[in-house]
Amino acid sequence: MGFQIDLTSLILPDQMADCRRVAVLPPGTRHTEWQGWADVVVTGVEPGVALSQPHLWRSVLSGQVLDPASLNTFWYELTHGAYGTVQRAKGIFDVADGRSLYFDFVAGLAETTYLELNLPLWCNGRPDRFSGIEVVGEALDQEAIAEIIKACCLEDHVIAYYQQQLRESVGEGIGSRE
Amino acid sequence: MKIAVMSCIHGNYEALNAVLSDVDNHNVDKIYCLGDLVGYGPHPNAVVEMIRALDIPTCQGCWDEDIVEGLNACECSYPSVLAEKRGKLAHEWTNQIIHPEVREYLAQLPLSLRDDNLCFVHGSPHNQHEYLLPEVDAFVAMERVLATGADILFCGHTHVPYVRSLNEGQLQIRVKSTGKLAEDMSFSAPLKRIVNAGSVGEPRHGRPNATYVIYDTNDDQITLREVEYDYQKTCAAIIEKGLPPIFAWRLARGMEFAERADDPTHVCER
Ligand SMILES: [Zn+2]
Ligand SMILES: [Zn+2]
């Protein structure tokens, strides 16, 4: 859980009463509200980038479909400091070929590529499922980030064009199996 | 004779100055420029004025053409939707601040230049927008050089410098036209070279340094030059002039902003 979460808001459902609260904290964390809240404290790895004034920026993108090549450029720039220092970034994005992709970045850890989520290809209209982005960092140029994401998003007629192709190729796939 | 060849200055006056000083230090007899004087960078007018003042023979680049004719680049020029939007921003900005006489100068630039057995073009002999990447099929590459009748084809546009030797070899082709029997032909192609001069003002080789080439006709040597310059000055000017700050960020890292075709074999039909 991130630093932005209000601990008093964490109310567990009754049927989950038989559980333990586990907090994963950076090395050297002492006397914080987390210690009081958790039953077990696990010491995690040192953050790759220390932030003096951590800031969280997030945006829900559900319904948006992104151009994959633009998304790659954006993700590279974001995680290499073009829009401020980034310690952690996560995103779920719907892309033009119908897939839902999961991006995960931790400063200081080996670069990871995206993961394809095990969800059906979305090939009819704007996706009615969650997508969004969350960035933890410092001195983030939120306006620029939002603007770039907007520039990566496809317009309705482009989405329709890709989905038409997608439906055709999926249709062919079914046909050839018969 | 020593010939310096430069390309893709893209309005980066600082980089151009540094390259010209480096050229001065190498007793060069003649300079050729392969175009893209404007686009992306903050000083398009100053760059063109300098090239004109030094009377450097220059051929027209894709950006020079677009500033004269209006945006004409085929979508293949842009690797992504984002790159296309950024390219358009740069185009609009340049289009607004460019002086009328600069536009006139860009309009009259030739598409290719010849000097004895050397040919100079921006992208390829077919088109300013076509990318002759080093991995282009050898047959296509050879065809492009043979089309010029020259022994060395100098080009730019990809922003990454390289020298490619197309060794002499036997080419077999089969010509089949409708209603006729296929005809086999074979001919031997002599040694040809493609030399890409890289980019002065918008490099894409992972470092901010400007690149250009020197060709020495006496010993037939080609030297790729990489020149450091005060790129921070250009970055500051990009931001000060109101161009997108991401252009400065990418320039400082030797990452081009937009121009690149994803498919190296794609032949632009325009
Ligand atoms: Zn160029
Ligand atoms: Zn070009």
Side-chain angles (χ1 to χ4, degrees), chain B residues 8 10 36 61-63 122 128 157 159 259:
Chain B
C8 297
H10 288 286
D36 272 5
C62 58
W63 273 82
H122 177 68
Q128 295 117 296
H157 189 48
H159 293 204
E259 275 181 283

Side-chain angles (χ1 to χ4, degrees), chain A residues 23-38:
Chain A
V24 181
L25 300 178
T29 316
R30 265 180 263 280
H31 313 299
T32 67
E33 54 178 351
W34 293 98
Q35 271 88 0
W37 175 85

Side-chain angles (χ1 to χ4, degrees), chain A residues 53-172:
Chain A
Q53 281 187 310
H55 180 82
L56 173 86
W57 182 84
R58 59 176 143 192
S59 176
V60 173
L61 298 170
S62 297
Q64 297 295 344
V65 178
L66 281 78
D67 166 50
S70 302
L71 174 59
N72 276 330
T73 303
F74 160 67
W75 195 259
Y76 181 91
E77 290 172 355
L78 176 76
T79 56
H80 286 78
Y83 309 105
T85 309
V86 173
Q87 189 189 57
R88 192 88 166 80
K90 285 199 223 184
I92 293 175
F93 306 99
D94 272 299
V95 291
D97 59 12
R99 292 181 299 164
S100 177
L101 305 180
Y102 172 67
F103 283 70
D104 193 343
F105 168 80
V106 184
L109 291 193
E111 254 178 83
T112 50
T113 48
Y114 61 82
L115 242 132
E116 196 178 321
L117 292 180
N118 187 18
L119 290 170
L121 293 181
W122 198 279
C123 46
N124 242 316
R126 290 190 173 270
D128 183 16
R129 61 186 175 197
F130 176 79
S131 62
I133 178 171
E134 200 167 73
V135 185
V136 176
E138 205 163 39
L140 296 174
D141 187 348
Q142 306 173 39
E143 224 170 281
I145 299 173
E147 208 175 287
I148 297 298
I149 294 174
K150 214 171 127 199
C152 296
C153 292
L154 298 173
E155 291 172 40
D156 281 320
H157 70 276
V158 184
I159 298 171
Y161 169 79
Y162 281 116
Q163 291 181 342
Q164 170 74 27
Q165 285 191 325
L166 191 58
R167 285 193 298 269
E168 276 163 19
S169 69
V170 170
E172 274 164 28

Side-chain angles (χ1 to χ4, degrees), chain B residues 6-230:
Chain B
M6 60 174 77
S7 185
C8 297
I9 302 158
H10 288 286
N12 189 337
Y13 189 70
E14 294 300 325
L16 174 60
N17 259 331
V19 164
L20 289 171
S21 307
D22 196 70
V23 166
D24 272 349
N25 296 337
H26 284 84
N27 308 311
V28 164
D29 303 286
K30 194 151 196 199
I31 307 175
Y32 281 95
C33 177
L34 309 179
D36 272 5
L37 305 182
V38 304
Y40 293 115
H43 299 122
N45 291 315
V47 164
V48 171
E49 277 152 25
M50 175 69 101
I51 294 287
R52 291 184 76 178
L54 296 174
D55 220 356
I56 295 173
T58 299
C59 42
Q60 193 184 53
C62 58
W63 273 82
D64 310 322
E65 184 206 10
D66 285 353
I67 279 299
V68 175
E69 307 268 334
L71 260 189
N72 184 35
C74 138
E75 276 112 73
C76 66
S77 302
Y78 296 110
S80 70
V81 171
L82 183 61
E84 187 175 352
K85 284 178 185 165
R86 286 176 176 170
K88 281 183 177 157
L89 278 177
H91 176 85
E92 278 160 28
W93 183 89
T94 309
N95 199 32
Q96 268 181 15
I97 73 143
I98 206 118
H99 299 154
E101 68 274 16
V102 167
R103 202 186 299 270
E104 272 164 39
Y105 169 78
L106 296 176
Q108 55 79 49
L109 289 174
L111 294 182
S112 69
L113 292 163
R114 275 304 287 265
D115 185 339
D116 197 23
N117 65 332
L118 314 176
C119 181
F120 306 89
V121 299
H122 177 68
S124 95
H126 285 204
N127 192 307
Q128 295 117 296
H129 293 272
E130 188 179 81
Y131 292 83
L132 281 186
L133 292 165
E135 58 268 32
V136 160
D137 179 78
F139 189 83
V140 174
M142 184 58 106
E143 189 279 328
R144 295 298 187 268
V145 187
L146 291 175
T148 67
D151 291 325
I152 307 181
L153 174 65
F154 289 92
C155 61
H157 189 48
T158 69
H159 293 204
V160 183
Y162 70 85
V163 179
R164 182 174 182 185
S165 294
L166 299 157
N167 293 322
E168 46 238 287
Q170 203 70 19
L171 291 178
Q172 302 269 349
I173 59 164
R174 170 166 291 196
V175 184
K176 173 105 177 69
S177 39
T178 38
K180 283 189 188 157
L181 282 174
E183 202 182 331
D184 284 317
M185 292 196 272
S186 94
F187 55 93
S188 55
L191 172 74
K192 301 282 180 189
R193 271 171 294 178
I194 297 179
V195 179
N196 192 305
S199 171
V200 170
E202 198 198 333
R204 194 165 75 82
H205 52 80
R207 292 175 297 278
N209 308 334
T211 59
Y212 76 101
V213 299
I214 296 176
Y215 174 56
D216 192 333
T217 57
N218 298 328
D219 59 5
D220 198 29
Q221 281 292 314
I222 295 160
T223 316
L224 300 182
R225 297 282 313 151
E226 185 172 329
V227 183
E228 288 184 24
Y229 73 101
D230 190 355

